[in-house]
Amino acid sequence: MKTLTKFIMPLALSLLAAADTGAQELIANVYGRQTQSLNGKWDAIVDLYDQGRKNKIYLDRKPEGKTDFYEYSFDNGLRLDVPSDWNCQTPELKYYEGTVWYARRFDAPQQAGQRQFLHFGAVSYRCRVYLNGEEIGAHEGGFTPFQIEVTGRLKPEGNFLAVEANNTRTPDAIPAMAFDWWNYGGITRDVMLISVPDTFIEDYFIRLDKDSADRITADVKLSGAAAGTSVGIEIPELNVRETAVTDDKGTASVSFRVKKLERWSPANPKRYRVIVSSDRDRVEERIGFRNIRVEGEDICLNGTPLFLKSVSFHEEIPQRMGRAFSESDAVMLLSEARALGCNMIRLAHYPQNEYIVRLAEQMGFLLWEEIPIWQGIDFANGQTREKAGRMIREMVTRDKNRCALAFWGVANETQPSEARNAFLRHLIGCCREIDDTRLIVAAFDLVRFDRQRQLFVMNDPFIEELDVVAVNKYMGWYHPWPLTPDKAVWDVARGKPLIISEFGGEALYGQHGPADVASSWSEEYQEALYRDNLRMFENIPNLRGVSPWILFDFRSPFRFHPTNQEGWNRKGLVSDQGYRKKAWYLMKAYYDKH
């Protein structure tokens, strides 16, 4: 491993020296701004040995004299769709991990009194950005947005934009060297040029107070504003017109009561048109208001205990074998979750694109969102901890106005240690410094059977620092049953609400066989496994939600079986071709009863 790491580091980590330089604070609600899309076909060069920067291909030089030549050209070569991953676009890149250069030209007419920002919804996993031959910024993290100010750097015509993207797995990355999903690379989400006034509404957080059914609090930040600048908050349907004044940091806050507020819920996903304005800028979007809190062992939405009927899915369209990135992709994924009868989605295992998050809110799904702290993380590495903190702040900043977001997840399947505990406390602090209204959750895989007590138990004191405890437990798949499901009683995290955040097993759609033989990979075995787990759940007194793993079969290099897996994790309730397995109907009936 040391030799391999020694070889990888100079190639992959060369991008990290300037990680996040040039990136700005995120502008809220980019889809509500004046934008110019930079999506479409981009020219591309595959840079297997990381020589592109050495050869300065971001300058896009052309021969001028008779003796001039350059050993690269973006013209008449590979062209890739943006947004999309590169793995699904050409067979040669299916397994590729390394650097790909993207480039395109665009015009940007001059706009007096305006500031301009390049916005990337996500680039996987790390990147450097070059504009007109100059490096202007870098970012690490494949699932969160970043922006770079380009005011004064743009030409009216023929701007040349190049992005050096790299998805090489490294020990200090998040996720790290091995993870159970496909390592997609590329510019995987929208790219756009944002234009805003020179003094603009940079950010806002408008929400219902955690413990009040009728008090709304709004915090607004203006960029470039002097102290004493007025900010307006309007909610026309509620007859709200409030004004606040900025302090010396450009921040204005106001709190007010409203009458006849309809709170958002899965049964009634009500959202209101909200307008934020200043003398130079105006932004509007639809925002819902709800209360989410823990009372004893209950999770209460708007004061009423709620049972979470959840499911997870990856940001992947299995039929296309590529990243989900569009509104139509979001419709496909969420429609199948709605058909199953879910009221919540656990977004596995990273922040997914805004189309999914916003449509989920519109459709009435609660959301659990997390960054990929998935096993194998170097918790003792201070730089990794700071990196994770930045990623989770980017996630919370992007989605804090989405009332569907009920849970910030800080970890999945981590092992107890002092370093782990300090790392996770840091992440919790990063969430709460921005937003103290959501519930903090982490998923553990540490439940074991105590034969002396004849109980399932878990020993991890860190659960006391969480609002909600979640457990991944694959009884009947990775763990044999020590006793019959009807006698499988749990004593885990009593006093707190518990969610079974993962359970299930693999089955190849259309394959039939004995219901009691795991190696059959049959739909009948998966169905029986689900039936047994659902029976066991009756013996968990503080159970307040379940989330089977997973909605769709998904691609994973982890999965080696040549006939039953073929590079797919087959735990999906729905196959990679969109066919529902027998266990889907069992889960549907369970949710219909709850």
Side-chain angles (χ1 to χ4, degrees), residues 50 75 133 145 149 204 234 238 291 309 349 360 369 518 520 525 530:
D50 284 299
D75 300 333
E149 184 163 11
Y204 52 85
E234 297 178 58
L238 295 175
N291 305 110
K309 300 180 288 187
H349 276 297
E369 194 169 46
S520 69
Y525 184 84
Y530 265 76

Side-chain angles (χ1 to χ4, degrees), residues 36 69 106 160 166 187 219 235 255 280 292 311 325 372 382 387 415 476 511:
Q36 175 184 337
F69 70 92
F106 67 97
F160 181 72
N166 180 286
I187 304 176
D219 298 311
I235 311 176
S255 181
R280 301 293 305 277
I292 185 82
V311 76
F325 57 79
K387 188 185 304 179
Q415 297 302 307
Q511 186 152 293

Side-chain angles (χ1 to χ4, degrees), residues 447-451 453-457 473 482-483 487-489:
V447 167
R448 63 179 181 84
F449 184 67
D450 186 326
R451 294 192 177 276
R453 298 175 60 199
Q454 292 289 290
L455 293 171
F456 282 94
V457 298
K473 190 67 174 177
L483 71 179
K487 296 179 180 177
V489 178

Side-chain angles (χ1 to χ4, degrees), residues 10 33 136 141 215 289 424 432 445 448:
R33 310 292 178 135
I136 59 171
R215 178 171 289 280
F289 302 98
L424 299 189
R432 286 182 169 153
D445 62 346
R448 63 179 181 84

